[in-house]
Amino acid sequence: MRVIGLMSGTSYDAIDAAAAELDLVGDSLVLKPLGMVSEAYDAALRETLSAALPPGATTLGEVCRLDTRIGQAFAAAALRADRELCEGRAELVASHGQTVYHWVAEGEVHGTLQLGQPAWIAEATGLPVVADFRPRDIAAGGQGAPLVSLVDLLWLRGRPGRPVALNVGGIANLTAPDGTAFDTGPGCALIDAAAQGFSGGALSYDTDGALATRGRVHGPLLDRLLQEPYYALPAPKTTGKELFHLGHLRDALTGFGTLPAEDVVTTLTMLTARTVADAVRAVGATEVIASGGGTRNPVLMRMLGDLLPGVALRASDELGLPSGAKEAYAFAVLGFLTLHGLPGTSPASTGARHPSVLGSVTPGRDGLRLPPPARLPPTRLLLE
């Protein structure tokens, strides 16, 4: 089955559309990557989305408009992926949508909201669409994240040592071989917020770590940032930009006077490296397989390597999954599992009471024609 996975992460800079040929062969799920295309949000939509995210205020009218416009943007990305990667022969779209709020109180997740109305995708492509993946796991008592942990577990099963999968997007998360999975804290969220704030919006992120290269770590600021209670919470745990946003940074800067922008960005880069490294050590990892936009920041990756002597640090590209497309491929897998009646969660990773078949299905142009349910879930993921 040819499946298109759509993903826009917490950095909300672009929609990634990855296409895969997926097939169940015995106890294995075989994935053949067909490539990825990426569609940047147009400037007006990105600005509107940014203004609506915490700690900003919004209205139900704005939420409705965003749900529609994001859905249309996802539809355009799916159409392009079908045309350029699948020769117009895709059979399913799996859309993560755009997370705008993750409702966490006292370590418990009560709800989550992803925008990007799937009806626009189904109407534009004529294909069935699986969307709204996270709420079902939350309804079963889970964190609703990190959902890619099941894919990581299938993918890394049998690899020697104790490998962990790390994704560094706006928020960083990892998955360990025993199923332990959690958000470690900010990936690029605070770095991006500082770059945008100090540049007056001229920069959306620290390109190639250019700012961090010129700065120095401010020890007292780093110590204050590390006092955030989230880092000490036990797994499973999840977080988002509801916590790690520009206001969080401004609060931490109180009393320090005017610090050079480069020093603040360098300190925030070290914060991400430190909190990720602490998490990696806590699960006893012997190898880190990294993906996500943060892997393109050479300063961050160098800091992380320095903090983890003796732990192999490599990009997921080396194992056959492009680091920039890994999460989009993961949601293609989750959509495939849903359509075949198979669970897409690991309770050990999310804390749910039981595994769940995820998402809601929007029929395509020909109605809803489900394949026969699979008898057993796969135990490993193989790449062709």
Side-chain angles (χ1 to χ4, degrees):
M1 174 178 282
R2 290 193 175 191
V3 184
I4 295 169
L6 301 175
M7 177 71 193
S8 177
T10 45
S11 294
Y12 58 91
D13 51 356
I15 301 163
D16 296 328
E21 186 82 47
L22 290 161
D23 191 20
L24 284 168
V25 181
D27 67 347
S28 299
L29 177 57
V30 181
L31 184 156
K32 180 181 179 180
L34 300 178
M36 186 194 81
V37 295
S38 189
E39 286 282 335
Y41 279 128
D42 69 64
L45 177 53
R46 192 172 195 276
E47 183 178 344
T48 303
L49 175 59
S50 178
L53 291 174
T58 190
T59 65
L60 286 176
E62 199 61 78
V63 170
C64 179
R65 286 185 285 272
L66 280 169
D67 192 36
T68 296
R69 294 175 64 199
I70 292 171
Q72 292 167 338
F74 270 66
L79 273 173
R80 181 182 167 197
D82 188 22
R83 181 179 66 251
E84 296 182 13
L85 305 175
C86 300
E87 300 175 337
R89 296 190 290 117
E91 299 165 79
L92 176 69
V93 178
S95 175
H96 171 268
Q98 179 66 61
T99 297
V100 293
Y101 197 80
H102 201 59
W103 179 16
V104 184
E106 297 180 355
E108 183 178 352
V109 179
H110 298 276
T112 190
L113 181 62
Q114 285 74 42
L115 297 183
Q117 175 53 240
W120 291 101
I121 305 170
E123 182 66 22
T125 63
L127 301 174
V129 181
V130 183
D132 290 326
F133 287 92
R134 298 188 187 277
R136 184 59 185 273
D137 183 73
I138 293 171
Q143 297 276 322
L147 285 189
V148 298
S149 57
L150 177 69
V151 179
D152 290 334
L153 291 171
L154 295 176
W155 179 43
L156 298 181
R157 183 158 290 154
R159 192 166 177 82
R162 189 171 172 80
V164 300
L166 169 70
N167 187 75
V168 187
I171 301 296
N173 62 69
L174 64 77
T175 303
D178 63 359
T180 300
F182 55 95
D183 291 338
T184 64
C188 300
L190 293 180
I191 301 169
D192 293 350
Q196 293 164 18
F198 283 121
S199 70
L203 297 175
S204 56
Y205 59 96
D206 183 17
T207 307
D208 296 327
L211 291 171
T213 298
R214 301 198 298 269
R216 296 184 299 175
V217 174
H218 188 278
L221 174 59
L222 178 61
D223 291 341
R224 180 177 291 180
L225 288 162
L226 286 169
Q227 291 171 15
E228 164 55 47
Y230 177 80
Y231 303 125
L233 293 176
K237 59 181 179 177
T238 55
T239 188
K241 286 190 173 180
E242 302 78 29
L243 174 58
F244 295 112
H245 51 66
L246 187 57
H248 180 90
L249 174 58
R250 285 172 175 158
D251 289 345
L253 287 168
T254 301
F256 284 118
T258 302
L259 299 181
E262 292 85 354
D263 288 0
V264 174
V265 173
T266 306
T267 303
L268 293 172
T269 306
M270 177 58 78
L271 173 71
T272 294
R274 170 76 178 274
T275 51
V276 168
D278 288 348
V280 168
R281 284 193 292 266
V283 299
T286 58
E287 178 185 39
V288 176
I289 300 162
S291 61
T295 62
R296 297 194 295 270
N297 184 325
V299 179
L300 172 58
M301 298 309 290
R302 183 172 65 250
M303 288 178 172
L304 185 57
D306 290 344
L307 291 169
L308 292 171
V311 178
L313 176 61
R314 53 177 47 91
S316 64
D317 306 68
E318 296 181 36
L319 276 68
L321 277 181
S323 58
K326 177 173 170 279
E327 288 210 316
Y329 279 120
F331 277 93
V333 169
L334 294 180
F336 177 90
L337 294 176
T338 294
L339 210 66
H340 287 79
L342 294 171
T345 60
S346 165
S349 301
T350 67
R353 294 183 294 272
H354 54 75
S356 295
V357 179
L358 300 176
S360 301
V361 182
T362 301
R365 190 172 297 125
D366 297 329
L368 187 57
R369 300 180 181 179
L370 297 175
R375 288 177 299 194
L376 293 172
T379 60
R380 56 182 179 167
L381 176 69
L382 303 179
L383 300 183
E384 268 193 1

